[in-house]
Amino acid sequence: MNKIDSIDTLLVDIPTIRTHKLSMTTMSVQTLVLVRMRFSDGIESWGEATTIGGLNYGEESPESIKTNIDRYFTPLLLNARSANPAQAMQLLNHSIRGNRFAKCAVETALLDAEGQRLGLPLSELLGGRLHDSLPVLWVLASGDTAKDIAEAEKMIEARRHNIFKLKIGLRPIEEDVAHAVAVKKALGSNISIRVDVNQAWNEQQAEKGIAMLQDGGIDLVEQPVAAHNRAALARLSARFSTAVMADETLCGPYDVLTLATAHTADVFSIKINQSGGITAAKLAGQVADLSGAALYGGTMLEGAVGTAASAHVFSTFPHIEFGTELFGPLLLTEEILSEPLIYRDFRLQVPNAPGLGIKPDTEKIETLKRA
Ligand code: MUC
Ligand code: MG
């Protein structure tokens, strides 16, 4: 029977192409937690976890993800009877609580291997893709309006992105709204502008902010209030015609069920890391679909491995009204694949080869990994 022979967990720090300002942190580097699995049938596979700003975004850090995989996940997996992904994940889920990001990295590697073994792209293992490519927005987060407008114009010109998300919540509401509306005005009515407040506002601030953003033609407001304040999120989405999206409050399929039942948001941002893995993200998307909510393919600013995995999952969603933000690899200064993911005509092509359908550049990764 096929077994897992070895699991290596690598921390890879890659500088970003410019500082990336969010309400909770300013990033100048992203740390990829890469999982490399080798199997008794000779297959080698990859998974990835990322978070944002150490412990600024979620309750797992890159270092805790590595430690927990090495110390707790790996012995269980090396002793597992087989490398069957569902059985291996069940084994982990029986013994390990939480650790959604670490579970995502491990499940991705298990499914990448299974896809390679069966000669099927991950999307087909998940039931089959409905989209060969996905729309991808770009996040403008330099913190400077003129720079953001210039950056957006370059992206439109290069046909890389024609939807933009602005990170706000750090500055006074009026300044943040003026910034978003100035970008919207400069780029014109055909370009969709969204904002992500990353939980920075209380309900009163959100009421004031969203009213002004709605007047300024902003299409979507992401997680305006604290993740725990779901009642406020529900009131805000009922009150405004501008779409309100759940992000940090959505940590897997059960959350989608709860949020959808209480009509908490108009749009659900599904992320593979935040959901706890590939199958959980797929299920989260299915529950959201059943509820009638609109879907969005989110990112934890994954590098190429997690971005490819996310693309396979989102390609199986029947509808993805607000597109995706699978731009993570483009924010990084180093390429870790021997053939980069393909971004063209405002979309990311979903890889076609078996498993994740990517070829990590192992020599490059060796030179980039943390000692
Ligand atoms: C988030 O909250 O959506 C996604 C893009 C980005 O710039 O930050 C992330 C996290
Ligand atoms: Mg967000």
Side-chain angles (χ1 to χ4, degrees):
M1 191 168 305
N2 186 34
K3 301 219 355 151
I4 304 169
D5 276 349
S6 69
I7 303 174
D8 294 313
T9 319
L10 322 171
L11 294 179
V12 175
D13 299 305
I14 306 187
T16 54
I17 56 172
R18 56 149 165 74
T19 53
H20 197 66
K21 266 188 189 219
L22 293 77
S23 69
M24 76 281 278
T25 189
T26 298
M27 302 169 69
S28 53
V29 65
Q30 176 60 312
T31 304
L32 317 180
V33 187
L34 295 178
V35 171
R36 180 183 198 173
M37 279 189 196
R38 294 184 178 93
F39 296 81
S40 55
D41 58 1
I43 283 178
E44 178 176 307
S45 69
W46 291 82
E48 180 190 330
T50 50
T51 185
I52 292 173
L55 284 170
N56 288 132
Y57 198 96
E59 53 296 273
E60 290 168 77
S61 68
E63 294 76 13
S64 81
I65 295 167
K66 174 173 167 50
T67 299
N68 289 341
I69 293 176
D70 292 348
R71 170 75 179 80
Y72 297 101
F73 289 56
T74 297
L76 288 168
L77 291 167
L78 294 182
N79 277 327
R81 276 195 306 120
S82 87
N84 173 293
Q87 290 169 22
M89 291 312 293
Q90 191 177 52
L91 181 74
L92 293 181
N93 285 327
H94 277 153
S95 311
I96 297 171
R97 292 182 199 281
N99 286 276
R100 286 172 285 122
F101 293 32
K103 283 177 181 165
C104 176
V106 166
E107 192 193 18
T108 301
L110 289 164
L111 285 166
D112 179 26
E114 193 71 357
Q116 293 184 48
R117 205 166 277 131
L118 298 171
L120 290 175
L122 176 55
S123 55
E124 308 313 295
L125 273 191
L126 297 174
R129 68 180 61 185
L130 294 164
H131 319 279
D132 284 323
S133 67
L134 299 162
V136 179
L137 62 67
W138 180 250
V139 171
L140 298 167
S142 74
D144 179 281
T145 308
K147 267 195 198 158
D148 280 358
I149 293 170
E151 195 173 295
E153 281 168 345
K154 266 212 266 169
M155 298 293 181
I156 298 167
E157 172 80 31
R159 295 184 63 77
R160 235 191 47 192
H161 308 277
N162 58 1
I163 307 171
F164 299 93
K165 167 166 135 177
L166 311 181
K167 290 293 201 180
I168 64 169
L170 254 188
R171 296 179 287 192
I173 299 172
E174 290 77 6
E175 269 180 49
D176 267 344
V177 170
H179 167 66
V181 173
V183 174
K184 172 77 194 170
K185 275 217 175 99
L187 300 180
S189 54
N190 288 339
I191 301 295
S192 170
I193 303 293
R194 295 97 183 262
V195 296
D196 189 354
V197 191
N198 282 121
Q199 314 184 57
W201 289 340
N202 64 30
E203 188 170 358
Q204 286 95 322
Q205 291 170 322
E207 276 178 14
K208 182 174 161 190
I210 300 174
M212 293 191 286
L213 290 163
Q214 184 170 286
D215 285 349
I218 304 304
D219 293 330
L220 177 81
V221 179
E222 181 172 341
Q223 199 66 53
V225 291
H228 59 80
N229 199 353
R230 292 176 167 183
L233 198 63
R235 286 189 287 270
L236 294 164
S237 57
R239 177 160 177 180
F240 294 103
S241 57
T242 286
V244 171
M245 182 157 80
D247 182 10
E248 285 93 321
T249 194
L250 193 172
C251 299
Y254 189 76
D255 280 337
V256 175
L257 185 61
T258 315
L259 293 163
T261 307
H263 302 287
T264 309
D266 306 302
V267 190
F268 291 121
S269 172
I270 311 292
K271 297 179 174 176
I272 60 167
N273 271 287
Q274 199 143 289
S275 292
I278 303 292
T279 48
K282 164 92 183 160
L283 184 54
Q286 285 171 315
V287 177
D289 174 42
L290 286 176
S291 79
L295 281 167
Y296 178 74
T299 180
M300 287 302 290
L301 299 177
E302 287 96 352
V305 176
T307 297
S310 303
H312 282 284
V313 175
F314 302 155
S315 77
T316 70
F317 289 176
H319 51 89
I320 187 145
E321 293 83 348
F322 284 85
T324 78
E325 55 181 18
L326 293 179
F327 68 94
L330 302 171
L331 190 66
L332 305 179
T333 50
E334 299 285 351
E335 176 58 59
I336 62 156
L337 301 182
S338 39
E339 287 162 34
L341 295 174
I342 299 168
Y343 290 88
R344 87 167 163 247
D345 291 332
F346 312 111
R347 301 175 81 89
L348 167 65
Q349 308 297 308
V350 184
N352 275 315
L356 291 175
I358 54 170
K359 284 199 194 84
D361 181 341
T362 46
E363 280 170 28
K364 180 82 168 285
I365 292 170
E366 259 324 289
T367 64
L368 293 171
K369 79 171 192 214
R370 212 183 275 181

